[in-house]
Amino acid sequence: MISVVMPTVGRRDSVLRALDALTRQDIPPEEFEVIVSVDGPNDETVRALEAYRAPSALHVVSGPRRGRAGACNAAIERATGDVLVILDDDMEPEPDCLRRHAAHHAGDAKVCVMGGVPIRADRTSPSATRYMAWKFERHLAKLAQPGHEFALRDFYSGNTSLRRDVLVAAGGYDEAYTMYGNEDLELSLRLRAAGVRLMYDGDALAYQHYEKD
């Protein structure tokens, strides 16, 4: 069983787009569940999720505003799968994304897999989006180089997988990070200290929708 963990705050339409993509996965729907963690009171998002009819199990967790770290931990606590795929709400996973992630976690492998996260952009996209797409392409090309040694700022957890027991043993996300940013970098330090190998699989692909101005 795979548990897809998706934190969100104030982005109902983004969440629904990500859920639509998850309905097109090429593994049977009974092999994965989705836990959406709504960070802070947001009746609009919760109502939309409660009305959503997904072929796989869909659970909604909500509570007070705690930040991405706390929202992730709340979903992880609810998860029942052996493998966690942490997916940001602005991601649109390709049909083989979950299958490719799961393939890395057979047996007792202690790995944390970062999937590809290219930004969707074209000539009509805002200049900020096109710049960030170019920047991310350079970053992903660096991660894909054979023998790449991961540095701290290489890490992201917007499309990332690892075994649930490995993440729990490492202590999960540090909820002292209540604002967005750096909670995943700090987690990567503890994972590496626990002997977890970081790796990149560009074929475990989820397109990123960049909507900042």
Side-chain angles (χ1 to χ4, degrees):
M1 170 72 81
I2 301 167
S3 292
V4 179
V5 167
M6 189 184 304
T8 187
V9 56
R11 296 205 290 192
R12 180 200 63 181
D13 292 344
S14 290
V15 174
L16 296 178
R17 179 179 58 210
L19 290 177
D20 287 345
L22 287 169
T23 67
R24 299 189 289 270
Q25 293 300 295
D26 64 6
I27 61 174
E30 60 270 17
E31 292 185 8
F32 70 97
E33 64 178 357
V34 182
I35 306 101
V36 179
S37 186
V38 182
D39 186 30
N42 190 318
D43 293 341
E44 182 184 43
T45 299
V46 171
R47 282 197 300 268
L49 291 171
E50 289 175 346
Y52 192 89
R53 295 294 173 257
S56 58
L58 173 62
H59 310 288
V60 181
V61 178
S62 61
R65 184 73 176 269
R66 290 171 291 184
R68 183 175 182 271
C72 284
N73 282 346
I76 291 163
E77 186 175 345
R78 178 72 179 269
T80 62
D82 301 314
V83 174
L84 301 175
V85 175
I86 302 164
L87 200 66
D88 279 349
D89 64 5
D90 58 356
M91 299 292 173
E92 189 174 359
E94 286 288 273
D96 59 351
C97 180
L98 297 187
R99 175 170 55 83
R100 289 186 177 277
H101 271 296
H104 294 285
H105 301 288
D108 297 324
K110 291 180 67 174
V111 296
C112 181
V113 181
M114 298 157 55
V117 289
I119 294 175
R120 283 199 185 277
D122 57 30
R123 292 181 179 180
T124 66
S125 301
S127 58
T129 301
R130 286 185 279 114
Y131 168 72
M132 290 303 299
W134 170 81
K135 188 176 179 180
F136 250 93
E137 285 291 345
R138 287 166 58 91
H139 183 61
L140 299 179
K142 180 181 70 173
L143 299 183
Q145 291 176 357
H148 174 73
E149 294 289 335
F150 279 84
L152 175 63
R153 298 202 65 83
D154 287 341
F155 189 76
Y156 53 79
S157 62
N159 174 23
T160 297
S161 65
L162 69 173
R163 290 209 328 262
R164 186 181 187 278
D165 61 334
V166 170
L167 181 54
V168 170
Y173 284 87
D174 185 347
E175 296 188 22
Y177 289 85
T178 56
M179 297 182 67
Y180 181 86
N182 295 326
E183 74 286 334
D184 49 0
L185 301 185
E186 190 276 337
L187 173 63
S188 75
L189 293 176
R190 285 185 284 116
L191 290 174
R192 295 179 74 164
V196 179
R197 181 169 62 92
L198 305 183
M199 62 174 293
Y200 173 73
D201 182 355
D203 291 327
L205 182 63
Y207 284 98
Q208 183 179 171
H209 290 266
Y210 190 86
E211 295 165 350
K212 300 181 182 70
D213 62 19

